[in-house]
Structures are given as C-alpha cells and as structure tokens.
Amino acid sequence: MPNAALLIKPVSNACNMRCRYCFYADVSSRRQKASYGVMSEGTLDAMVRKAFNYADGSCSFAFQGGEPTLAGLEFFEKFIKLQREYNYKNLPVSNCIQTNGYKLGDEWAVFFAENRFLTGLSIDGVKAVHDSYRLGADGTGTYEDASSTAAMFAERGVEFNILCVINNAVAEFPKEVYFSLKKYKFLQFIPCLDDFDDAGGSGGSQNVEAGAEAGTNDELRVPAEYSLDTANYARFLKLTFDEYYRDFMSGEYVSVRNFDNYVGMLLGQPPEQCGMGGECSCYFLVEADGSVYPCDFYVLDEWNLGNVNSNSFSKIIRSPAAARFIEISRQVHADCRSCKWAFLCRGGCRRYREPFSGGVLPKNKHCAAYIEFFGYSYDRMKRMAEKIRARKQ
C-alpha cells in the first residue's frame, strides 16, 4: 500500500530573497538548466492526477523553492481544486509549504488556514543574525517581515512552525536563538549545508560579501562565515537541549524536531525526520517542469528519475537511478559500526557525508558534534522517554 510523498518546486529556484547560504542556488547552478520557470497548469494537473493514481495509503504534498508563493495564489487554488477532483479513493491528504514570509499578504494566511496547510516559516533566531544572512532582493534584512508574517499566521489560525538554519552565526548564540523562538512552540533547527565543492568544511565563507559581519544589534557580533563549525554545532546542540529539557520537565514543552525524534526513538518509534533513518527513502521531488528527483539536496541532472508529464510514479520509483540512490546511502563507515551512538545517529543525512572519498561515503561532517552531544544529553533523553511512557500507562 504505497503512500505518495511529493516535495514540489513550483517556481524552481526563483526567489524574492538572496540568502547568503542558499543551498538550492548551489544545486541549481550545477545543472545544464538552472531554472525551469513556473510550473504550467498541464504539469500541475499531471502531477496531482498521477499522485492519486499511484497512492493507496495517503498523499502528502509539500511546496518549497526558491519561494513557492511566487507561483501566485491562483496556482494554489487550482491545486486544491485538482486534489478534490482526483482523490477518487478518498485518501488522507496533507498539504505543507515552506515560505520565507517576505512581503506575504493577508490573503495567503487566510488561504493556508482555510485549506489546512502546515506552514514552515524561516526565521534565523535573532534579528542581528537573520538580517546578516537572509536578505531581500534589495539587500536589506528581512527579520521584521518574517516576524510580522508569524504574527499574522498566529492571528489567522495558520498551523505553522519555525525553520531556523544553524549557520555558524546562529551557532554562536544558542540561548539567544532558543529564547527568541520558543514562543512559537514548534521549532526545527537545520544544520547549514556547505556547497558541494566546500563540503569538507571551510568554503562557505567564500560566498559572503564584504561587510557581512556587521549586525543590527550592538550586543551581538555576527561572524562573517556561515559554514557551520563542528565545535560550534556541538555547543549549540548542548545548550539548546538544556533549555528544551528544562522546559519539558517544567511542563512548558517546546517542540524541537530533532530532539523530539531522538526521544521518540528511545520509545521505540521510527524517526519521522528525513535523514535520521539510516538510509535514504527516495521521495518524489518534482521540479517546475515536471522532472522528478529522489531528494531536495540532489536535484541534479544525474539523478533525474523521469518526468510526471510522460511517466507514472510507479515507473519513476522503479527506475535504476532511484535504486542506485538508495543503495549508496546504505554505506556505513567502519567507525560507525562500533560507535555506541549508532542506534541514535545512524550516520545522519547522506548530504552531510559529501564529498565521496574513493567512491565511498565518509563519516558525517559533524560526527564529533553528535558524539559529544549524545554523551551530554542521553541520560536526560532517557528520563524524558520514561516520563512520556509513564503518562501513557
């Protein structure tokens, strides 16, 4: 009974912001065609129709960019109409979208609330850090826009969470970031990706323009490098976990997705977060022209699995490239086989294990950070799991 999980880029890499660390700008620059424009109605129709034809369990549709709202509200209204038309099996359906919240009008909040779109809103912690890296097309900071959008979502009843990229600047201020965002209750901390060429560690700062280290808050000096330092990441994980644990034990629980997953794993639950399962799952990433890829991080010509305009999802999932993508991710580094934390870490997301070395995936770039973090937090995560288990009895 297959489920259909689609991640859709309706405007390809188009965006109204110029984030300094944008991983998709790097990915799209490595294809023969960097941008596929805006998804046509014909491609949208084929994608939705074939998703419901393929699925027998459930259908989930998630929109990402670039900035997906640039497709326009009419595009999404058409999408909802097609869902209702083609869901002849009456399958459970979920809709999600990730947005930068930049210059987003109230009509979007109304649409997301009425159509139950779970919305991920990007805010990088505190104003000084956010405004140094998340810039509008005019080069100005966007923190106030994102914060205003969060308030509008709350007022309109939009179900939303906060996506915070842990670049090296965010990692410098773990407590400030946590306390700034905890009011939103649902948080995702996502380690910043280096460009493919820089995956070994240092290079992210090459793309930072002169003067980027000056923030807007005199109390914080924002680093110019965005490439995430492993020691900084370990410190960020430990100090934010301290606050997460304290809030949980005091009855003021704040959801932090990766921490929630680790606790859930101690309860015997499979991790729901992509990259935490030990191998890739190969979902359907649909670019604006209908071409399908196995993962958001690998929307590259070599991983093109087919096209929704000419192929069924059944054929796409059975393609040799899809099988090869999954098989590569199953490689386990020798050190991981004997690591005491392998049952929680599972090697982490494949993308953080680039570049290949001699045709073999190396250890996760942040391996040392995870070893340090698990040693620091494990006993408390067990106490959390025990408390949750006791509540259910």
Side-chain angles (χ1 to χ4, degrees), residues 269-295:
Q269 301 166 2
E272 54 76 30
Q273 184 171 341
C274 187
M276 297 181 75
E279 65 178 60
C280 294
S281 59
C282 191
Y283 55 81
F284 301 118
L285 184 293
V286 187
E287 251 286 4
D289 69 333
S291 54
V292 181
Y293 303 82
C295 172

Side-chain angles (χ1 to χ4, degrees), residues 278-279 327-348 353 360-364 367 371:
E279 65 178 60
E327 187 59 34
I328 289 172
S329 73
R330 289 173 175 157
Q331 295 182 34
V332 179
H333 192 277
D335 290 352
C336 297
R337 296 183 191 278
S338 58
C339 178
K340 67 182 292 186
W341 304 118
F343 74 104
L344 280 177
C345 175
R346 304 186 184 184
R353 299 170 66 193
V360 178
L361 285 174
K363 288 189 292 187
N364 191 294
C367 172
I371 290 173

Side-chain angles (χ1 to χ4, degrees), residues 241 259-271 341 343-344 346 374 377-386 389:
F241 181 83
F259 298 157
D260 288 351
N261 271 269
Y262 292 136
V263 174
M265 290 163 76
L266 294 177
L267 288 165
Q269 301 166 2
W341 304 118
F343 74 104
L344 280 177
R346 304 186 184 184
F374 289 132
S377 63
Y378 180 66
D379 288 343
R380 285 179 288 171
M381 286 196 290
K382 278 206 310 182
R383 284 196 288 272
M384 291 178 66
E386 290 163 1
R389 188 179 290 113

Side-chain angles (χ1 to χ4, degrees), residues 26 33 77 115 131 133 150 179 221 225 266 282 300 348 376:
D26 174 56
K33 189 170 185 178
E77 290 170 341
N115 294 283
D131 281 350
Y133 291 90
F179 286 121
R221 184 178 182 278
E225 287 195 6
L266 294 177
C282 191
L300 303 166
Y376 180 80

